Amino acid sequence: MKLSRPLSWFLLAFGVWSWVIWVTFVKNLVKDSSGLAFDGDSPTAYFWVHLTLAVVSFVLGTVIGGIGLRGLRALRHTS
């Protein structure tokens, strides 16, 4: 399957965007002082659910960005 150049760029940008957004979110989650993420020193269910969401998003962002990068590389070799 051959991806178009705009679609490849979109997928790559989505992967990068996903990493930027979720890295920022995890940093804020770890620094949380509102009591949602930590009860004293122990993580709450809120923390674990959102950390799981972040990890899944990291994996999906990496896979989707990788597909976009492969699409761009394939277009460069055929042009």
Side-chain angles (χ1 to χ4, degrees), residues 38-72:
F38 294 97
D39 185 16
D41 284 337
S42 59
T44 63
Y46 176 90
F47 174 85
W48 291 115
V49 166
H50 286 84
L51 185 62
T52 302
L53 288 171
V55 169
V56 168
S57 294
F58 290 144
V59 171
L60 290 175
T62 301
V63 170
I64 291 169
I67 292 168
L69 184 60
R70 288 180 66 193
L72 288 172

Side-chain angles (χ1 to χ4, degrees), residues 1-68:
M1 182 168 111
K2 188 173 178 182
L3 300 176
S4 68
R5 188 173 310 280
L7 180 59
S8 295
W9 275 111
F10 174 78
L11 294 174
L12 181 59
F14 178 86
V16 170
W17 175 83
S18 182
W19 269 88
V20 169
I21 294 299
W22 285 99
V23 165
T24 303
F25 181 82
V26 169
K27 285 180 184 178
N28 291 334
L29 183 65
V30 170
K31 294 188 301 186
D32 179 60
S33 61
S34 70
L36 286 174
F38 294 97
D39 185 16
D41 284 337
S42 59
T44 63
Y46 176 90
F47 174 85
W48 291 115
V49 166
H50 286 84
L51 185 62
T52 302
L53 288 171
V55 169
V56 168
S57 294
F58 290 144
V59 171
L60 290 175
T62 301
V63 170
I64 291 169
I67 292 168

